[in-house]
Amino acid sequence: MRAALFVTCLADLFRPQVGFAALKLLEQAGVQVDVPQMQTCCGQPAYNNGDRDDAKAIARQVIETFEDYPYVVVPSGSCAGMLRLHYPELFGDEPGWQARAESLAERTYELMQFLTDVAGLAGVDATYDGTVTYHDSCSSLREMQVRAQPRRLLGTVDGLTLKEMRDTEVCCGFGGTFCVKYPDISERMVSDKVAAIEASGADTLLAGDLGCLLNIAGRLKRLDSTVRVYHVAEVLAGMTDVPGIGDGESA
Amino acid sequence: MNPQSHAFKHNVEAALDDVQLQQALRNVGRGFVVKRRSALDALPEFEALRVAARDIKDRTLARLAEHLERFEAAATQAGAQVHWARDAAEACDIVVNLCREAGAKRVAKGKSMVGEEIGINPALEAAGFEPIETDLGEYILQLAHEPPSHIIAPAIHKTRGQIADLFREAHRVHGLGEHLETVPDIVNEARQVLREQFLSADVGITGANFLIAETGSTVIVTNEGNGDLSATLPRTHIVTASIEKVVPTLDDASVLLRLLARSATGQETTAYTTFFTGPRRPEDAHGPEAFHIVLIDNGRSQMLGGEFHDMLRCIRCGACLNHCPVYNTVGGHAYGWVYPGPMGSVLTPLMVGLAEGANLPNASTLCGRCEEVCPMSIPLPRMLRAHRIREFETRLTPPRSRYALKAWAWLARRPRLYHRILGPGMRLLGLLGRRQGRFRWLPLADAWTRARDLPAPVGPSFMAQYRRTRREGTGS
């Protein structure tokens, strides 16, 4: 089985290890992975802010880069949702491109979804000594229907206990540019999320989207919380010997 | 109501600092969500109903004019008088004239969002009438001189203590005004005062949840029965309804009614569901002598067939508000007009103009919870985005955002340059932040770092590292 990995811009730039964790997990699942070098960003910032022309231009570039692969795997629900749901919407007035967008959409998966539902990965070979809670990113949950998959895989990690937080399906207030356009509302929302995390008693927060993770980790660290933050792929790949998101070497 | 949506950011600051509002939002926001969930769990066919409801509305909207004409004919047949209003001003003129013809002084008003939309109360007051709100929530707001903050629970932003204070002040003239502690005490006192108003009103104005084309009936649902008293006690009953409320048959209405209460308050059905068909007949014991229906367009026919067409399916249940994390953080008044939350963020710019309402479609994380709970499956996030596209295309988007977006898109389309610039840039940032793992402050990142640290990038970018490992791996 062959697949292309779309690393996503945030993972590429802020947390490269998420890309390597995804590679490792895909290889464990018996997938031969390619990483196309011409990839950048999926165009979501342009699309969600009403810049349809640029969103289309970027979408064309992504389609050209990835359309020769049988599968495209993305370690982010919102970027996967962009390719899966929104690319076909973008080209409503261009039948040729729309067909190409739809073809790519049908082969695009969020990482956890691909590992379990397509590649048939039943468990991982990893150890994590801690109690984790898992935040359901909005796009993963509602656009990609990812909910059970990461939890199922986390259940196979040695030493790991999963404790659900309240309102795990409620937005953390990131929302792409929302967090900088309406910082005050975003702050209140992420504070609610942080309170739910703390109340769960977990010592580690996991999620499948780097946007949410940077937001929540940023707030946790501002409040001097000791909760560690990782992308779920990092834990599943056993790559937690490095500091968590927002933790430094001095910590 | 004068739109204040342009002041959204300012309104938000006030809302976040309002301790009592925040307390009220915490108290009630969750209630509706939990009750809706259990009402749905008790109804296995909810999803099937939802599909049927969507189908009913889509079929109706596809031939809206025809259904409205059928409604008009049937209502007229039953003795009602039907009036058509193109916009808010026309609707108010019609209602004011009807009140004049009825020789009215006092007007009892049942809760009606379209009444708020057209600004019926100020119009009535300006014409010398005394409108009295009979819904408890609306009555409280009338005393407080405030607009509703929620489409089904208008005074949801008020705490019990605030309401008791309002009553103590306002009810002195009625010989009341004791300090009220409990909810039943508050309700009883309101009931005592309002009973007088019902009996002395000359005209009753209500809204309509549905209009039934086959019978010419109008339908209202309430939990207090105030709508029924407003409609049946005065000599004249005026129904104000927007045109998309029409459904073909009684059966169709019953499907929508099953979804409405469950989605709104989590009730299986509301306490009172009343069908009005024409004025009282000679053999009837009660009912108004004159029955008028004002059908209001106010921009809706413009939405037909366009990218906001699906919004006309909305049955005003408020589920999207109850589940919206932004609404639950700032409350309804921050949105600055009649309809708040996700449905309001779609409707308001269409009704008051995009320049006035441009903040609203942006004040959403597009988390999609609204669409998930909408009983009419309205694609609210898609329509919020559609507004953003219009905003961008008409250059209403603030220049700084435009340039930042354009710059990012320009770079994203040049992968080699992108990696050449951003790879080393992030590496430098990563070195600076390596010890702490995060930044408390960064130039140009103020909006982010005001409330949160920015996690530092870790090492060179993935692409840079990946290229290196591959080169090493292949030994070339």
Side-chain angles (χ1 to χ4, degrees):
Chain A
M1 192 183 284
R2 232 176 112 237
L5 181 67
F6 191 159
V7 182
T8 83
C9 55
L10 288 182
D12 177 39
L13 300 174
F14 276 89
R15 194 80 181 167
Q17 190 175 240
V18 171
F20 288 106
L23 276 177
K24 187 172 167 186
L25 288 167
L26 287 165
E27 277 159 11
Q28 273 178 27
V31 181
Q32 187 202 324
V33 192
D34 268 13
V35 184
Q37 295 297 295
M38 297 303 275
Q39 58 173 291
T40 58
C41 160
C42 67
Q44 201 179 161
Y47 183 60
N48 280 348
N49 285 289
D51 182 1
R52 184 160 47 184
D53 292 343
D54 275 318
K56 278 171 108 165
I58 295 173
R60 284 195 193 95
Q61 178 180 299
V62 172
I63 292 168
E64 281 169 347
T65 307
F66 285 93
E67 68 185 340
D68 290 337
Y69 295 94
Y71 297 104
V72 180
V73 182
V74 195
S76 152
S78 77
C79 311
M82 181 70 196
L83 270 66
R84 178 104 183 191
L85 300 174
H86 304 306
Y87 278 13
E89 269 169 25
L90 269 174
F91 295 106
D93 51 354
E94 291 176 65
W97 275 102
Q98 193 178 33
R100 289 170 76 176
E102 272 168 4
S103 164
L104 182 71
E106 284 161 17
R107 292 176 281 132
T108 300
Y109 292 87
E110 186 273 343
L111 175 65
M112 297 298 126
Q113 183 183 41
F114 184 81
L115 288 170
T116 58
D117 303 355
V118 181
L121 185 70
V124 294
D125 179 22
T127 303
Y128 188 78
D129 187 19
T131 302
V132 309
T133 192
Y134 180 84
H135 164 68
D136 283 290
S137 298
C138 302
S139 308
S140 292
L141 190 64
R142 301 193 184 90
E143 296 190 337
M144 301 303 286
Q145 278 79 49
V146 172
R147 184 182 170 83
Q149 299 92 329
R151 291 176 168 84
R152 203 181 307 148
L153 291 176
L154 285 171
T156 66
V157 174
D158 265 353
L160 181 146
T161 310
L162 177 66
K163 265 194 182 171
E164 297 289 350
M165 70 176 107
R166 70 170 147 82
D167 295 339
T168 174
E169 82 292 353
V170 175
C171 180
C172 72
F174 175 65
T177 51
F178 173 85
C179 66
V180 290
K181 279 199 279 189
Y182 300 95
D184 299 336
I185 308 176
S186 177
E187 173 182 352
R188 204 59 71 92
M189 288 167 69
V190 72
S191 298
D192 285 349
K193 182 53 69 178
V194 161
I197 293 164
E198 298 278 8
S200 76
D203 54 43
T204 306
L205 170 78
L206 305 179
D209 249 275
L210 211 51
C212 319
L213 286 165
L214 293 173
N215 182 43
I216 301 171
R219 185 64 186 164
L220 279 165
K221 301 304 157 190
R222 173 64 55 94
L223 299 174
D224 295 321
S225 165
T226 55
V227 171
R228 279 171 295 166
V229 182
Y230 288 103
H231 190 285
V232 63
E234 294 179 278
V235 169
L236 294 175
M239 295 165 73
T240 49
D241 51 342
V242 298
I245 298 171
D247 286 327
E249 287 173 355
S250 64
Chain B
M1 179 179 170
N2 274 337
Q4 294 296 322
S5 303
H6 60 275
F8 180 77
K9 287 192 176 179
H10 172 78
N11 302 344
V12 162
E13 277 177 39
L16 292 174
D17 289 341
D18 185 334
V19 178
Q20 296 213 310
L21 171 68
Q22 291 299 323
Q23 190 190 329
L25 286 172
R26 254 195 310 278
N27 286 345
V28 287
R30 288 238 169 81
F32 285 142
V33 171
V34 173
K35 285 181 196 153
R36 174 189 169 275
R37 187 68 259 163
S38 50
L40 259 57
D41 288 343
L43 187 76
E45 71 266 35
F46 185 85
E47 279 308 316
L49 274 179
R50 198 178 182 193
V51 173
R54 179 190 173 133
D55 183 50
I56 289 168
K57 272 287 191 177
D58 282 349
R59 274 190 287 114
T60 313
L61 291 170
R63 297 161 77 174
L64 186 62
E66 214 173 286
H67 290 290
L68 286 167
E69 281 163 19
R70 269 185 70 209
F71 171 79
E72 181 182 27
T76 309
Q77 179 75 31
Q81 289 185 56
V82 178
H83 312 261
W84 299 82
R86 264 171 303 200
D87 54 24
E90 244 181 55
C92 287
D93 282 350
I94 293 169
V95 173
V96 165
N97 283 330
L98 289 171
C99 291
R100 280 203 188 109
E101 282 167 29
K105 183 174 177 300
R106 192 169 267 182
V107 176
K109 245 193 95 254
K111 178 180 164 292
S112 149
M113 289 316 290
V114 81
E116 299 289 338
E117 179 188 317
I118 62 174
I120 191 64
N121 282 2
L124 286 169
E125 281 163 9
F129 301 104
E130 187 192 351
I132 311 280
E133 292 290 350
T134 61
D135 171 271
L136 177 59
E138 291 277 0
Y139 175 65
I140 291 165
L141 297 183
Q142 195 172 27
L143 296 181
H145 306 289
E146 285 176 25
S149 70
H150 189 290
I151 62 171
I152 61 156
I156 205 165
H157 59 286
K158 291 236 173 283
T159 57
R160 195 172 53 197
Q162 288 175 314
I163 296 166
D165 291 347
L166 274 172
F167 279 17
R168 196 165 50 225
E169 191 63 34
H171 290 169
R172 256 185 225 137
V173 291
H174 302 281
L176 301 163
E178 293 290 305
H179 183 73
L180 302 169
E181 278 292 338
T182 67
V183 173
D185 284 347
I186 289 174
V187 173
N188 278 334
E189 185 165 306
R191 186 173 286 159
Q192 222 173 315
V193 173
L194 287 172
R195 188 166 297 156
E196 286 302 308
Q197 317 284 3
F198 286 125
L199 292 168
S200 61
D202 313 292
V203 171
I205 302 177
T206 67
N209 291 87
F210 301 104
L211 305 168
I212 319 267
E214 68 173 347
T215 60
S217 312
T218 75
V219 186
I220 53 170
V221 298
T222 71
N223 275 317
E224 298 166 21
N226 64 298
D228 307 71
L229 293 173
S230 306
T232 48
L233 292 179
R235 291 192 312 276
T236 299
H237 179 196
I238 304 172
V239 173
T240 53
S242 49
I243 54 172
E244 84 283 10
K245 297 272 177 177
V246 71
V247 292
T249 66
L250 287 164
D251 284 346
D252 294 329
S254 75
V255 172
L256 297 170
L257 281 166
R258 295 185 72 193
L259 288 169
L260 177 58
R262 286 177 169 91
S263 302
T265 51
Q267 291 167 288
E268 285 185 20
T269 179
T270 38
Y272 301 91
T273 302
T274 313
F275 294 70
F276 302 98
T277 314
R280 89 195 273 180
R281 295 160 301 183
E283 65 271 28
D284 290 340
H286 304 286
E289 290 154 23
F291 183 47
H292 297 273
I293 303 163
V294 186
L295 295 175
I296 300 162
D297 184 329
N298 206 24
R300 286 162 177 83
S301 53
Q302 292 283 316
M303 290 161 66
L304 279 171
E307 58 188 337
F308 299 100
H309 176 93
D310 292 345
M311 193 62 215
L312 294 169
R313 289 204 298 264
C314 178
I315 56 173
R316 308 287 190 266
C317 70
C320 61
L321 280 61
N322 299 337
H323 289 77
C324 176
V326 174
Y327 177 91
N328 276 306
T329 303
V330 302
H333 282 166
Y335 292 81
W337 201 55
V338 178
Y339 302 108
M343 56 82 70
S345 297
V346 173
L347 275 180
T348 304
L350 294 173
M351 294 184 163
V352 306
L354 190 54
E356 169 69 35
N359 264 305
L360 307 184
N362 288 288
S364 161
T365 62
L366 302 177
C367 78
R369 216 173 166 212
C370 49
E371 182 175 3
E372 183 179 63
V373 298
C374 175
M376 303 308 294
S377 310
I378 299 170
L380 292 156
R382 176 175 72 64
M383 288 190 282
L384 295 173
R385 251 190 228 103
H387 275 311
R388 296 182 189 187
I389 290 169
R390 287 186 172 189
E391 191 193 345
F392 197 90
E393 285 174 355
T394 54
R395 296 186 167 267
L396 281 166
T397 310
R400 251 179 65 183
S401 304
R402 284 181 72 87
Y403 296 138
L405 285 167
K406 284 274 171 202
W408 176 255
W410 186 88
L411 198 57
R413 289 168 59 191
R414 287 160 182 80
R416 284 195 183 82
L417 187 65
Y418 173 102
H419 291 298
R420 208 172 298 148
I421 293 177
L422 292 176
M426 296 315 264
R427 180 169 201 171
L428 177 66
L429 207 54
L431 284 172
L432 288 171
R434 192 168 61 188
R435 270 186 62 75
Q436 295 304 320
R438 55 191 183 260
F439 300 96
R440 289 215 145 219
W441 181 85
L442 266 184
L444 305 175
D446 185 55
W448 177 283
T449 53
R450 207 186 298 169
R452 357 165 166 63
D453 292 353
L454 180 71
V458 183
S461 71
F462 174 87
M463 284 303 183
Q465 294 187 51
Y466 182 78
R467 272 196 297 273
R468 202 175 56 226
T469 54
R470 280 229 312 197
R471 262 203 309 277
E472 284 164 8
T474 54
S476 57

